[in-house]
């Protein structure tokens, strides 16, 4: 990994205040592993408390509404997230695309709203199993990038891309290292074609069944700049194994 690796925990719909102890433990360990940029995206209800508990790690959200505010019962704007202490937001996660019918245009609007509010963005893309089996994985991901990457001044500087094949999320299955590398190279090419040469700096994370046991190998794949981790980010013990692998990958 040429850049400082970025390892982000997506807690999804997990976590009550009891889990703040895990955030604290992750934060404390991050002090020893400063070569890795570490962040957590807890549920909305824990963002403020996590920010207060954690000194070093980034804290972000898992979604936002594209608008600044208004009559949208139950929704949360990017400005509210920033006020609660978030520094970034994940947009376009496949669970949101599936559970809430979010389109690429929705995801783009959210990403642009988040950047306008001063947040960084982690944009998720990834193919389904049927799409991979049909040989369409790269085409699908390219289309998602075209449709959902934010535009506007400085947008490229605010974006991290997470490649998360839908069939690898929570399943214990991962693509081969060659397939991860091939997809990440294709994403880099697409980013450069959309944003220009500055896109060489954008980090591309891999997500989908990353664990301490497979992280080192995944971090060696081409153009992998870190990981977006679900289940294995829920305890400090398992998450720290991944962060340590990123730190070692950097040295190696
Ligand atoms: P798992 O690490 O649980 O497979 O989840 C990946 C993910 O969806 C992170 O956003």
């Amino acid at each position: 990994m040429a850049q400082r690796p970025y390892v982000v925990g997506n807690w999804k719909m997990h976590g009550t205040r009891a889990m703040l102890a895990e955030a604290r433990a992750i934060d404390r360990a991050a002090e020893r592993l400063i070569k890795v940029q570490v962040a957590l995206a807890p549920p909305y209800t824990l963002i403020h408390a996590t920010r207060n508990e954690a000194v070093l790690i980034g804290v972000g959200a898992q979604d936002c509404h594209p608008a600044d505010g208004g009559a949208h019962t139950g929704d949360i704007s990017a400005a509210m997230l920033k006020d609660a202490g978030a520094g970034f937001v994940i947009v376009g996660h496949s669970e949101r695309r599936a559970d809430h019918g979010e389109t690429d245009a929705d995801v783009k609007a959210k990403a642009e709203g988040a950047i306008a509010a001063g947040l960084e963005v982690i944009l998720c893309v990834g193919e389904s199993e049927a799409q991979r089996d049909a040989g369409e994985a790269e085409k699908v991901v390219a289309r998602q990038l075209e449709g959902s990457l934010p535009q506007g001044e400085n947008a490229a500087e605010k974006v991290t891309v997470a490649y998360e094949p839908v069939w690898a999320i929570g399943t214990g299955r991962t693509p081969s290292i060659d397939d991860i590398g091939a997809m990440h190279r294709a994403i880099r090419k697409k980013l450069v074609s959309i944003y220009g040469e500055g896109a060489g700096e954008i980090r591309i994370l891999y997500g989908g069944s990353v664990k301490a046991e497979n992280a080192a190998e995944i971090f060696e794949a081409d153009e992998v700049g870190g990981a977006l981790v679900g289940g294995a980010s829920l305890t400090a013990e398992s998450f720290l194994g991944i962060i340590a692998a990123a730190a070692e990958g950097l040295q190696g």
Side-chain angles (χ1 to χ4, degrees), residues 62-84:
Q62 302 168 16
D63 181 47
C64 66
H65 192 280
D68 279 349
H72 302 291
T73 302
D75 279 317
I76 304 280
S77 75
M80 291 168 177
L81 295 176
K82 191 164 164 55
D83 179 61

Side-chain angles (χ1 to χ4, degrees), residues 10 12 93 95 124 164 168-171 207-210 228-232:
N10 172 10
K12 307 192 179 184
H93 194 283
E95 287 152 13
C124 301
E164 299 205 313
I169 294 176
T171 59
S209 295
V210 179
L228 182 56
V229 184

Side-chain angles (χ1 to χ4, degrees), residues 2-220:
Q3 303 140 304
R4 188 180 180 215
Y6 190 20
V7 179
V8 183
N10 172 10
W11 280 5
K12 307 192 179 184
M13 200 169 72
H14 299 288
T16 58
R17 285 176 295 160
M19 260 177 74
L20 292 172
E22 302 297 331
R24 261 196 310 274
I26 291 163
D27 190 60
R28 256 188 241 120
E31 201 172 359
R32 287 183 274 111
L33 298 163
I34 48 166
K35 287 180 178 163
V36 184
Q37 185 180 347
V38 179
L40 284 177
Y44 289 137
T45 47
L46 292 181
I47 288 173
H48 189 58
T50 305
R51 183 66 288 160
N52 284 343
E53 296 284 340
V55 181
L56 288 171
I57 62 171
V59 178
Q62 302 168 16
D63 181 47
C64 66
H65 192 280
D68 279 349
H72 302 291
T73 302
D75 279 317
I76 304 280
S77 75
M80 291 168 177
L81 295 176
K82 191 164 164 55
D83 179 61
F88 72 93
V89 60
I90 298 168
V91 295
H93 194 283
S94 60
E95 287 152 13
R96 295 225 40 104
R97 292 177 188 258
D99 294 355
H100 301 273
E102 290 186 9
T103 64
D104 287 337
D106 295 330
V107 174
K108 181 179 184 181
K110 288 174 182 225
E112 290 179 352
I115 291 170
L119 296 181
E120 296 193 354
V121 164
I122 299 177
L123 170 74
C124 301
V125 293
E127 81 286 356
S128 68
E129 184 156 35
Q131 288 164 332
R132 175 155 289 268
D133 289 347
E136 292 175 350
E138 287 188 16
K139 200 173 80 188
V140 166
V141 167
R143 202 169 55 218
Q144 289 174 334
L145 290 170
E146 277 161 17
S148 54
L149 276 171
Q151 296 300 317
E153 214 187 331
N154 301 332
E157 291 163 29
K158 303 291 180 192
V159 172
T160 296
V161 172
Y163 167 55
E164 299 205 313
V166 178
W167 53 273
I169 294 176
T171 59
R173 295 164 58 206
T174 54
S176 69
I177 301 307
D178 282 352
D179 283 347
I180 293 175
M183 180 62 86
H184 280 235
R185 286 195 303 273
I187 291 172
R188 174 74 65 210
K189 220 167 129 194
K190 194 76 202 165
L191 289 171
V192 170
S193 85
I194 291 172
Y195 286 136
E197 285 307 319
E201 301 294 311
I202 296 176
R203 277 178 299 197
I204 308 170
L205 313 182
Y206 169 78
S209 295
V210 179
K211 301 187 174 13
E213 297 75 40
N214 62 14
E217 195 188 9
I218 289 170
F219 289 144
E220 277 172 17

